[in-house]
């Protein structure tokens, strides 16, 4: 099966799929697009005009990172998803929770003013607190077994690590389990190789181009 991921290099949803593809040692190619100026072919094939897409054998278009990840997992045994339907359904719920955490983070980064920054920051931290309370002893979300939930959260935890070093939205010791989880994830080659080496610079340049309070706080410019 030929796999081609349609990507934008700063997108955390794309990164969730890249982590999965790398972790599962899948053979895949990447086609980068500029989301500011998406090519016509992309708009034609992407039902929601969003990345990632996974092109399978050239012409079948999979969309939505969570769906792409389950498919990649299914075709590259052994599966990361639990066999037990209840455990699998719970994981799916937490993958969706991870999507909300990404949205929270995006809203913090792009908050237009100080009031919005504080409000969305509060929401983001409250959601992380709930996640912290749900985590067990690790090292992974489900304990000893790495799962698609781990692949999902790598992107958002990586960005919080970058953002908090520039301006603490929360302190690492506020969420010790999340911090331990991120440490374990950050040591995986599949996570380290899932982003451009200059992700931080690129992310800050992107924020500066957008402007606003979030950009000023993290990237030092209005
Ligand atoms: N639920 C989608 C979200 C993907 C998403 O929002 N991608 C963003 C980039 S990070 C995008 O393509 N945005 C373009 C747009 O909304 O027009 C997934 O998990 O794949």
């Amino acid at each position: 099966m030929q796999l081609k991921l349609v990507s934008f290099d700063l997108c955390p949803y794309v990164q969730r799929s890249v982590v999965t593809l790398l972790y599962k040692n899948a053979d895949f190619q990447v086609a980068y697009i500029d989301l500011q100026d998406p090519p016509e072919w992309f708009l034609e094939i992407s039902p929601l005009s969003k990345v990632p897409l996974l092109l399978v054998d050239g012409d079948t278009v999979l969309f939505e990172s969570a769906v792409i990840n389950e498919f990649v997992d299914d075709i590259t045994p052994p599966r990361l998803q639990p066999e037990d339907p209840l455990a699998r359904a719970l994981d799916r719920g937490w993958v969706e929770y991870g999507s909300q955490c990404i949205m929270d983070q995006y809203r913090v980064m792009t908050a237009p003013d100080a009031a919005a920054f504080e409000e969305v920051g509060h929401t983001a931290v409250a959601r992380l607190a709930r996640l912290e309370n749900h985590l067990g002893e690790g090292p992974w979300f489900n304990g000893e077994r790495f799962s698609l939930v781990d692949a999902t959260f790598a992107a958002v935890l990586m960005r919080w690590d970058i953002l908090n070093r520039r301006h603490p939205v929360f302190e690492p010791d506020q969420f010790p389990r999340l911090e331990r989880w991120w440490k374990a994830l950050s040591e995986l080659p599949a996570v380290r190789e899932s982003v451009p080496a200059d992700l931080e610079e690129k992310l800050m340049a992107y924020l500066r181009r957008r402007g606003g309070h979030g950009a000023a706080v993290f990237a030092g410019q209005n």
Side-chain angles (χ1 to χ4, degrees):
M1 227 177 251
Q2 270 194 337
L3 305 178
K4 187 188 274 187
L5 190 73
V6 180
S7 165
F8 170 63
D9 60 2
L10 290 180
C11 174
Y13 297 99
V14 167
Q15 192 185 349
R16 308 198 310 185
S17 293
V18 176
V19 171
T20 306
L21 285 155
L22 291 175
Y23 191 90
K24 301 293 308 266
N25 284 316
D27 196 10
F28 69 104
Q29 296 176 314
V30 182
Y32 292 100
I33 62 156
D34 179 1
L35 266 187
Q36 306 296 107
D37 184 19
E40 202 50 47
W41 64 262
F42 168 74
L43 297 173
E44 269 167 29
I45 64 169
S46 180
L48 296 173
S49 308
K50 288 180 179 178
V51 287
L53 298 179
L54 188 70
L55 306 187
V56 183
D57 288 337
D59 55 359
T60 303
V61 180
L62 291 184
F63 60 107
E64 287 295 317
S65 58
V67 174
I68 291 171
N69 288 359
E70 290 191 11
F71 172 74
V72 169
D73 190 34
D74 287 343
I75 61 167
T76 53
R79 288 172 101 213
L80 298 175
Q81 296 162 87
E83 289 306 320
D84 173 49
L86 183 58
R88 202 162 60 240
L90 284 168
D91 274 13
R92 282 198 178 121
W94 285 102
V95 165
E96 180 55 30
Y97 197 87
S99 296
Q100 293 303 315
C101 292
I102 288 177
M103 284 311 300
D104 292 341
Q105 185 175 62
Y106 185 74
R107 290 188 183 114
V108 171
M109 288 190 292
T110 59
D113 53 46
F117 186 82
E118 195 177 324
E119 190 187 327
V120 292
H122 188 76
T123 304
V125 172
R127 216 183 307 273
L128 292 175
R130 191 179 189 110
L131 179 61
E132 169 80 12
N133 289 337
H134 187 81
L135 287 174
E137 292 309 310
W140 307 119
F141 184 80
N142 288 331
E144 292 297 321
R145 240 185 105 181
F146 188 88
S147 73
L148 293 181
V149 184
D150 300 291
T152 291
F153 275 92
V156 73
L157 294 178
M158 177 181 279
R159 282 162 184 70
W160 277 128
D161 184 55
I162 292 172
L163 296 173
N164 277 334
R165 275 188 278 107
R166 304 181 74 94
H167 173 95
V169 175
F170 58 91
E171 298 292 340
D173 57 6
Q174 200 176 333
F175 299 131
R177 288 170 186 231
L178 275 178
E179 180 63 9
R180 191 190 51 208
W181 191 19
W182 165 239
K183 284 270 168 310
L185 284 165
S186 68
E187 284 163 17
L188 288 181
V191 171
R192 286 206 301 269
E193 291 160 20
S194 63
V195 284
D198 56 352
L199 172 73
E200 181 163 351
E201 276 163 49
K202 284 196 160 138
L203 188 58
M204 293 309 131
Y206 170 82
L207 289 182
R208 282 186 204 108
R209 279 196 303 277
R210 285 199 53 121
H213 188 78
V217 163
F218 296 116
Q221 196 175 309
N222 236 322

